[in-house]
Amino acid sequence: MTAADYLSSGPGFAEGEVIERIEAFRRRRPRLRDEIVTLAHGAGGKSSAALVDAVFVEAFHNELGDGAVLTTPSGERLAFSTDSFVVQPLRFPGGSIGHLAVHGTVNDLACSGAVPQWLSAAFVLEEGFGVAELKEIVADMASAAAAAGVRIVTGDTKVVPRGAADGLFVTTSGVGVIPAGRRFPAVRPGDRLILSGTMGDHGMAVMLARGDLAIEADIASDTAPVHGVVEALLAAAPGTRWLRDPTRGGVGTVANELAQDTGLGVVLDEQSLPVRPVVNGACEMLGIDPLYVANEGKFLAVVAPEEADAALAAMRSHPLGADSVVIGEITAQPASTVVLRTAFGGTRIVDMLVGDPLPRIC
């Protein structure tokens, strides 16, 4: 049908069909069209997904998530995870790259349902980096590991010429043991989505610590190990369906990953989204939606509706889960889509993060 036919005779198909076609196109996995890597490819949003799918998944023929669940010949189930940390500045209110390197991997293991046990640590050092500063960062890692109850058991160190790296990069890998019988049932319509605390604290703390924006605000990173809160949740709500920590791309992007992985809808309640006023104010000044700002000490959980109250009570009993709240629910429609129910009673679609408003925050 041409445009002229449409105008003369009216639409030959229903409005719902048009909307469905648009939604089907929007739900497609992003395609890699770039010829060079940009900072957006490391932001955790659409560009990151396109790069991972087109390069790594295609080459390795395997889904590459935050953590892999492995079964030993004896039947024991383990979780295995790895992550690299390139944050700038290396120190920020509430933590350092050393804290992040431990907490990031511990949290990925916890969200795989495992009890974290062992970590490795690899360092890429730029020629000229201060030994005293290196000792301080390694001390941060040691204290973070001790507090989380994990051991750093192996590692590696490389030194590159001056100008070939930005001071220090750290990579950690981790192994955790999944308790016998622990399984995550399939996510279902009617399930509740719980967030363990306020959004965006880490991302805004790092952004303001760089000093480029001339904004002063009392914002500290929330970097912390979440496995204690996760274990409290799983004890109270053993039917928990799904767990994920909202790091790069924030709650908005992780909710989209949930919707795409399950084929279900995720309906968020704007009035329930927890954001500290100072974080919200900084985001408004920068024109950034807190939904896309990273945390490093929070997690999202999908729980059965009949277990939601018990889950909330257990999470709030832990110091790191005191601000836990139900922020939404799972629905059959709109399929594979995240919708925000606004304070005015309307709705809007929450898409995956596009671009890179917060580069190098972890």
Side-chain angles (χ1 to χ4, degrees):
M1 176 179 289
T2 66
D5 293 333
Y6 182 91
L7 291 173
S8 62
S9 63
F13 41 81
E15 179 184 2
E17 181 182 346
V18 178
I19 294 173
E20 176 56 33
R21 289 183 181 181
I22 294 172
E23 285 303 298
F25 179 82
R26 192 192 64 80
R27 292 194 296 265
R28 288 166 52 188
R29 291 287 290 179
R31 296 179 181 176
L32 183 65
R33 304 184 186 277
D34 305 286
E35 295 183 357
I36 61 172
V37 175
T38 69
L39 284 174
H41 291 112
K46 285 190 173 182
S47 296
S48 295
L51 181 70
V52 170
D53 285 351
V55 177
F56 303 112
V57 172
E58 183 174 319
F60 301 143
H61 303 290
N62 201 2
E63 291 296 326
L64 301 173
D66 289 341
V69 175
L70 311 173
T71 303
T72 69
S74 62
E76 187 175 37
R77 298 171 68 235
L78 304 175
F80 177 58
S81 182
T82 190
D83 209 342
S84 295
F85 300 87
V86 298
V87 65
Q88 277 293 339
L90 299 178
R91 291 193 171 280
F92 42 84
S96 72
I97 191 173
H99 295 107
L100 282 182
V102 172
H103 296 156
T105 297
V106 164
N107 294 348
D108 285 343
L109 293 172
C111 289
S112 296
V115 179
Q117 299 286 339
W118 307 281
L119 302 183
S120 71
F123 301 84
V124 175
L125 303 170
E126 183 181 7
E127 180 186 17
F129 192 78
V131 172
E133 186 174 6
L134 178 61
K135 285 184 175 181
E136 291 177 354
I137 289 170
V138 171
D140 289 341
M141 293 183 67
S143 64
V150 298
R151 295 174 58 210
I152 299 175
V153 294
T154 187
D156 183 52
T157 303
K158 295 292 189 297
V159 178
V160 298
R162 192 183 301 268
D166 196 359
L168 168 68
F169 299 148
V170 182
T171 296
T172 52
S173 298
V175 176
V177 177
I178 300 176
R182 178 172 291 176
R183 293 285 194 280
F184 290 145
V187 176
R188 305 169 189 171
D191 288 345
R192 304 295 189 259
L193 182 64
I194 298 177
L195 177 61
S196 67
T198 53
M199 299 190 306
D201 300 306
H202 173 73
M204 293 314 303
V206 173
M207 284 293 290
L208 299 188
R210 291 174 183 162
D212 300 333
L213 304 173
I215 298 175
E216 294 185 6
D218 183 20
I219 301 176
S221 170
D222 62 341
T223 181
V226 303
H227 59 305
V229 194
V230 168
E231 288 300 317
L233 162 66
L234 295 178
T240 295
R241 321 287 202 201
W242 177 91
L243 298 168
R244 187 72 58 83
D245 55 333
T247 53
R248 294 177 304 166
V251 170
T253 294
V254 171
N256 270 276
E257 293 172 350
L258 168 62
Q260 291 175 3
D261 289 348
T262 61
L264 299 172
V266 178
V267 179
L268 303 176
D269 181 6
E270 184 177 47
Q271 292 183 296
S272 298
L273 295 175
V275 186
R276 294 174 58 210
V278 65
V279 172
N280 191 59
C283 287
E284 287 184 351
M285 293 180 67
L286 298 173
I288 298 172
D289 189 336
L291 271 169
Y292 298 110
V293 183
N295 289 100
E296 289 289 347
K298 306 293 192 319
F299 67 93
L300 285 162
V302 175
V303 302
E306 64 271 16
E307 292 187 336
D309 289 342
L312 274 178
M315 293 170 67
R316 288 172 177 171
S317 69
H318 192 284
L320 294 179
D323 296 322
S324 298
V325 62
V326 174
I327 63 169
E329 63 181 303
I330 309 301
T331 59
Q333 296 293 331
S336 303
T337 302
V338 180
V339 173
L340 180 71
R341 185 184 298 116
T342 69
F344 297 103
T347 59
R348 68 175 176 88
I349 290 175
V350 177
D351 208 348
M352 290 187 75
L353 175 67
V354 179
D356 188 21
L358 303 169
R360 296 187 59 184
I361 56 172
C362 62

